[in-house]
Amino acid sequence: MSGLYRISAVLLFSVCIMPAHAEIFSEAHKLGAFSGAMRFCENKYETHEGRYKWARLRVAREVSDMSGKDKTKALLASDNARRKGTYLGNRLSRGECEALLKMGEWKRFSR
């Protein structure tokens, strides 16, 4: 019975808590993490196109217009993502890097 209880507790935790986990990241944190992820991808997987650098520089423009507190959050998230090679907890493989560039959320930077 104890094993079944543990499995039930884990499933309940996953259903109730995990979706809320995605909501804890502010816009500043997400932008900073994206910028750091693009820097990591640029250094590790970039070819001659410069797509990662272009995306990173577009985000940097938006981060520079933020207030001091939000800018600090963004810069810390950027540094963390670049050093660890992760984006919001996901390891950055070549496929993950390419998927980040294709996310609809970042299409606003293509203008």
Side-chain angles (χ1 to χ4, degrees), residues 34-44 52 56 78 82:
F34 180 77
S35 177
M38 291 296 99
R39 171 72 72 149
F40 176 85
C41 295
E42 179 183 352
N43 293 338
K44 186 139 178 148
Y52 299 117
R56 181 177 52 83
S78 176
R82 182 190 50 78

Side-chain angles (χ1 to χ4, degrees), residues 77-103:
S78 176
D79 184 56
N80 192 36
R82 182 190 50 78
R83 281 185 300 102
K84 291 182 176 180
T86 61
Y87 174 71
L88 302 181
N90 296 329
R91 180 60 74 195
L92 291 168
S93 64
R94 182 180 298 273
E96 281 289 322
C97 288
E98 291 175 7
L100 276 176
L101 284 176
K102 295 176 184 176
M103 284 176 54

Side-chain angles (χ1 to χ4, degrees):
M1 261 326 203
S2 144
L4 182 60
Y5 176 74
R6 286 183 188 151
I7 292 172
S8 298
V10 168
L11 288 174
L12 182 63
F13 175 78
S14 298
V15 170
C16 295
I17 304 300
M18 295 307 271
H21 180 7
E23 300 297 322
I24 64 168
F25 298 114
S26 66
E27 185 70 15
H29 187 274
K30 288 178 189 177
L31 286 173
F34 180 77
S35 177
M38 291 296 99
R39 171 72 72 149
F40 176 85
C41 295
E42 179 183 352
N43 293 338
K44 186 139 178 148
Y45 305 116
E46 186 65 87
T47 57
H48 63 281
E49 294 100 22
R51 298 175 306 155
Y52 299 117
K53 182 177 182 179
W54 181 81
R56 181 177 52 83
L57 293 176
R58 291 288 206 166
V59 172
R61 196 178 315 157
E62 188 164 324
V63 169
S64 70
D65 294 336
M66 290 181 177
S67 69
K69 185 177 179 181
D70 285 340
K71 191 180 290 188
T72 301
K73 282 182 192 177
L75 293 174
L76 288 172
S78 176
D79 184 56
N80 192 36
R82 182 190 50 78
R83 281 185 300 102
K84 291 182 176 180
T86 61
Y87 174 71
L88 302 181
N90 296 329
R91 180 60 74 195
L92 291 168
S93 64
R94 182 180 298 273
E96 281 289 322
C97 288
E98 291 175 7
L100 276 176
L101 284 176
K102 295 176 184 176
M103 284 176 54
E105 185 176 354
W106 308 115
K107 294 209 187 237
R108 66 178 186 219
F109 299 116
S110 63
R111 295 182 207 142

